[in-house]
Amino acid sequence: MTEVVVTNLNPRFTGVSSTAARLIPIQAGQFNLALAGHALPDCPEPVTLAQARALTRTRPRDRPFAIWHVRRNNEMRAALWARDVLRLPIRIVFTTAGTHRHSMVPRWLMGRMDALIATIPAAAEDKPHVRAVVPHGVDCRVWHPAPDRAAAWAATGYTGRRGLAAVGRVRDSKGTDRFVETMLRVLPRHEDVTALVLGLARPQDRTWQDGLQAKARAAGLGDRLLFPGEIPARDMPALIRACSLTVPLPRYEPYGMTPLEGMASGVPFVGSPTGAFRTFAADGTAGIVVEEGNLVEDAAAAVDTLLVNPDWLAKMSRRARERAVTFHSIEAEAAGIGAVYEALWEEG
């Protein structure tokens, strides 16, 4: 009998999808688990919502109910329908990462959950039914350092001998423009460096992206400040471990996995003061957080300093990997989530 249903009702592979995809292979070894909705890489074949409801129509053996783990508003609604309208023997766990004040509907939905798991302490504030703060983890077997970073970069086929990257949707909230402005300052001083914007622009953001690319061309950097678009998930680890730094400069980020994935790959970061970036940076030993106000100039100075100090960069790279393995592993996240499940089952 199915003990846990994990939902993925967004057809696009988003940050939320990535979170579930990292965890499900581990959780599938711990529980009788079903993925409901859209397929995720390296996860069990998904079932439909109707099939998920059928799988949890009766109580699993030795459990008082099944658990549906949801991460989006539409998934909360689907789980509430199953629990409250169809009266299935299930309980609902919701992972919350947002630190902003939610609108009325999400607040109402969260109030109907059986348990909330926050990813950082700030995400737990003023929310009901929070059972635990469980930071997102990274699979340090998938994301690992390159034996030879120079060779790894050469294998990517991009120009130059070193790479910098910003990962995420091309839009204002992700700070793509701030990365571009930072690179316009950095790249002229480092002719061996190529910068990559790794992410997809939505149709409404493509004109904005066109403007950013025009800036790069006008500065004579069109061949070194590149917009490859969205990279397939299976190809991202090799590309990130080939980079020297990631430079995430979002205006808002609930948590932020891209610097953490870089850290596990032995790639430190220069980032903005959002999400869990300060925790990741570990007082500047695994990354550098620059403050708002003079962010672009300070980010450019930090990147420049690391690029001209290979010993410091190498030391920070080792520390970044150590921090990811010790404090931010996917196994630790799975254990924290499993403890919430077990507590609910114990309460009956």
Side-chain angles (χ1 to χ4, degrees):
M1 288 291 186
T2 300
E3 297 173 291
V4 175
V5 170
V6 177
T7 54
N8 179 46
L9 301 187
N10 190 333
R12 289 167 45 196
F13 191 82
T14 65
V16 173
S17 311
S18 177
T19 295
R22 291 191 304 271
L23 280 164
I24 287 173
I26 294 175
Q27 291 184 298
Q30 300 170 329
F31 308 106
N32 190 330
L33 180 146
L35 168 64
H38 297 279
L40 290 170
D42 301 318
C43 292
E45 191 70 20
V47 300
T48 65
L49 274 179
Q51 289 170 325
R53 291 191 290 265
L55 289 171
T56 54
R57 194 171 301 280
T58 58
R59 294 173 176 81
R61 183 179 303 167
D62 300 325
R63 304 289 195 190
F65 45 77
I67 289 172
W68 282 38
H69 194 151
V70 300
R71 292 179 169 86
R72 301 178 175 95
N73 290 352
N74 62 334
E75 295 171 5
M76 284 194 279
R77 290 193 294 267
L80 286 173
W81 179 269
R83 188 193 68 187
D84 297 348
V85 177
L86 301 181
R87 301 292 182 182
L88 301 187
I90 68 171
R91 297 292 184 272
I92 311 170
V93 174
F94 175 70
T95 290
T96 176
T99 58
H100 61 288
R101 179 169 173 77
H102 294 272
S103 60
M104 181 178 66
V105 171
R107 291 203 308 272
W108 183 87
L109 290 169
M110 283 188 277
R112 300 290 298 164
M113 300 294 101
D114 295 291
L116 266 65
I117 298 174
T119 57
I120 57 175
E125 294 177 2
D126 301 321
K127 290 176 182 166
H129 316 307
V130 175
R131 293 297 189 101
V133 175
V134 181
H136 287 319
V138 61
D139 190 334
C140 295
R141 297 163 299 178
V142 172
W143 301 86
H144 60 79
D148 182 333
R149 182 167 292 157
W153 179 258
T156 68
Y158 291 111
T159 59
R161 293 189 292 110
R162 295 186 288 177
L164 309 175
V167 184
R169 299 290 179 193
V170 177
R171 60 188 182 198
D172 180 80
S173 65
K174 292 296 186 182
T176 313
D177 56 324
R178 307 207 290 191
F179 176 75
V180 168
E181 291 293 342
T182 300
M183 293 302 105
L184 293 180
R185 290 156 174 78
V186 168
L187 294 180
R189 298 195 287 265
H190 302 277
E191 294 186 357
D192 65 332
V193 173
T194 295
L196 306 176
V197 177
L198 303 175
L200 185 69
R202 301 171 299 176
Q204 60 266 40
D205 293 318
R206 286 175 189 160
T207 299
W208 188 64
Q209 175 179 289
D210 291 343
L212 297 178
Q213 291 178 280
K215 277 190 174 184
R217 290 192 298 270
L221 297 170
D223 60 339
R224 292 200 293 130
L225 179 44
L226 307 177
F227 289 71
E230 190 169 42
I231 304 299
R234 65 181 178 276
D235 297 332
M236 279 297 289
L239 181 52
I240 293 302
R241 75 175 66 105
C243 292
S244 297
L245 286 168
T246 63
V247 189
L249 299 172
R251 291 177 170 84
Y252 170 74
E253 186 68 64
Y255 187 77
M257 281 303 300
T258 60
L260 194 54
E261 289 166 347
M263 288 169 58
S265 307
V267 180
F269 70 95
V270 173
S272 55
T274 188
F277 290 11
R278 292 190 194 279
T279 299
F280 298 158
D283 297 322
T285 62
I288 297 174
V289 172
V290 295
E291 301 302 327
E292 299 288 352
N294 199 35
L295 183 138
V296 167
E297 294 293 344
D298 290 347
V303 171
D304 187 57
T305 298
L306 289 169
L307 290 178
V308 299
N309 287 277
D311 291 343
W312 185 13
L313 180 57
K315 181 178 180 180
M316 188 175 282
S317 297
R318 291 191 296 271
R319 180 63 169 158
R321 171 67 181 181
E322 290 168 1
R323 292 285 303 182
V325 171
T326 304
F327 297 105
H328 302 291
S329 72
I330 192 67
E331 290 81 9
E333 182 181 7
I337 291 171
V340 173
Y341 295 170
E342 295 291 351
L344 286 172
W345 281 323
E346 182 68 24
E347 293 167 8

